[in-house]
Amino acid sequence: MSQPGFNEALRRKLAGGGGAATGPGSTRPEGLAAALQRALGRAGAPYEGLALVASPAEPRWDIPLAEVIAALPEGGLLSMLEAGGDRRALCVLDHGLIDALIEVQTTGRVDRGAGLKRRPTRVDAALTRDFISLFLGALEGGLTGRAGIDWPLGLTYGTHLAEARQLELLLPDRPHHLFSVALDLGEGAKTGQVLLAVPVTGTVAGAGPSPDAPANDPGWRARWQALVRAAPVALEGVLLRRTLPLARVEALCVGDVLSFDRAELAAVDVADRAGQRRFTARLGQSAGRRALMLSDGAGLGPPLKADPPAPEPPAAAPPPEPPPAVAPGAPPPA
């Protein structure tokens, strides 16, 4: 079953710039293999003696989650990747690459021959995390702006998974692309493999409107921008954050009180659904209800200035006083 809100037909329409379905591979990004090679090369550069050489395999496009799980190497290190919201991806290092990364960090060289297969540990995850982060950052930089990217590029390291059976609960039930890269390590001392499974989100990075759309309909771009700008954006107000010892958190019960200073409410975070802070604000009231006033200098535009009130019209001059009355027969006033 596809993920609610995911529309494969809409993705193809946006990617192809029209209503007709696109042919196989017609909207695939160019230079993906080279980008994977460069990204892995940059990820391995800080590790002296690793001598990583990458050979990407043919990508597997739009495959179900079950096929992704079936393709995972036995005994691989599973790393969950985050891209905001419910968008998650997976990076897997096989045991050959894990051993090589640990060896160059401990002995400065890659030992020849494959080691005994074992279950990856938290220590393995900690020693390979920087390699994965460097790989993801370099790959994002190499693919940003290219047409046909219909998966999230801004992937960050999330957590290490102990068992593959957790994937069905954590990964979205939608089509995925699977990228597999074979590695030569330590100038032939070992071989390894990296797998990257990314969800098809339907957002095609770098894909513009159809070339003939503006000519046929000059208002197409304006209507499209209006539609995008009307999309809802959820914001969350974070009043405060508190760091507590793990033992204290585990002992929390209903009715426990977490105290805070009044001054802490002077800088409330306004974050998006991914938890990234967008603005800062002050807690107050508006029309008798709790409200947040966005602060100056938090990535916002200047405050709107109210128009000055129109000057009042000058007061009308008082009417002239009437002349004094003159009695009959009396001389006129001087």
Side-chain angles (χ1 to χ4, degrees), residues 27-30 143-150 204-208:
T27 62
R28 302 311 183 194
E30 297 181 358
L143 293 178
T144 297
R146 298 198 183 191
I149 305 297
D150 58 356
V204 182

Side-chain angles (χ1 to χ4, degrees), residues 24-329:
S26 61
T27 62
R28 302 311 183 194
E30 297 181 358
L32 175 61
L36 288 168
Q37 286 179 318
R38 287 192 296 268
L40 286 167
R42 292 178 181 177
Y47 300 90
E48 186 176 357
L50 186 62
L52 183 151
V53 178
S55 301
E58 189 69 22
R60 298 175 62 182
W61 305 102
D62 299 297
I63 64 174
L65 180 57
E67 291 189 25
V68 172
I69 297 176
L72 301 182
E74 182 182 357
L77 176 66
L78 310 177
S79 298
M80 184 63 61
L81 311 178
E82 302 288 346
D86 65 342
R87 300 185 301 174
R88 297 186 180 93
L90 178 69
C91 183
V92 185
L93 312 184
D94 79 336
H95 72 280
L97 178 55
I98 298 171
D99 290 345
L101 286 171
I102 294 176
E103 289 165 1
V104 295
Q105 293 180 77
T106 54
T107 66
R109 62 184 177 85
V110 179
D111 294 337
R112 188 165 297 277
L116 296 176
K117 291 188 178 181
R118 57 184 177 82
R119 186 174 181 176
T121 65
R122 291 183 179 272
V123 175
D124 296 329
L127 292 175
T128 57
R129 175 172 180 169
D130 289 344
F131 176 85
I132 295 174
S133 297
L134 290 171
F135 166 52
L136 296 175
L139 184 62
E140 178 183 5
L143 293 178
T144 297
R146 298 198 183 191
I149 305 297
D150 58 356
W151 67 89
L153 286 179
L155 298 171
T156 58
Y157 186 94
T159 187
H160 157 61
L161 298 181
E163 299 180 2
R165 63 182 181 181
Q166 299 174 274
L167 295 175
E168 294 183 352
L169 300 176
L170 296 175
L171 286 179
D173 183 15
R174 59 172 30 143
H176 285 69
H177 302 324
L178 183 62
F179 310 136
S180 176
V181 184
L183 305 175
D184 180 271
L185 306 164
E187 298 181 347
K190 275 186 174 63
T191 59
Q193 184 185 23
V194 175
L195 273 75
L196 180 64
V198 294
V200 182
T201 59
T203 302
V204 182
S210 175
D212 59 348
N216 294 338
D217 186 357
W220 183 91
R221 184 180 298 274
R223 291 197 302 272
W224 174 252
Q225 291 179 348
L227 179 64
V228 172
R229 291 180 178 275
V233 177
L235 296 176
E236 298 177 348
V238 182
L239 296 183
L240 71 151
R241 291 183 172 90
R242 176 72 70 244
T243 300
L244 298 173
L246 176 59
R248 175 75 172 94
V249 174
E250 291 179 338
L252 289 175
C253 300
V254 176
D256 286 353
V257 177
L258 300 178
S259 60
F260 59 91
D261 296 330
R262 187 178 183 86
E264 293 181 284
L265 299 182
V268 178
D269 289 346
V270 180
D272 56 23
R273 294 296 296 272
Q276 182 176 358
R277 184 177 66 181
R278 296 297 180 179
F279 315 112
T280 57
R282 295 178 60 89
L283 182 64
Q285 289 188 352
S286 175
R289 303 176 63 181
R290 291 290 184 184
L292 294 176
M293 182 180 71
L294 300 182
S295 305
D296 294 336
L300 302 173
L304 298 177
K305 296 182 179 180
D307 295 332
E312 297 183 359
E321 296 183 2
V326 180

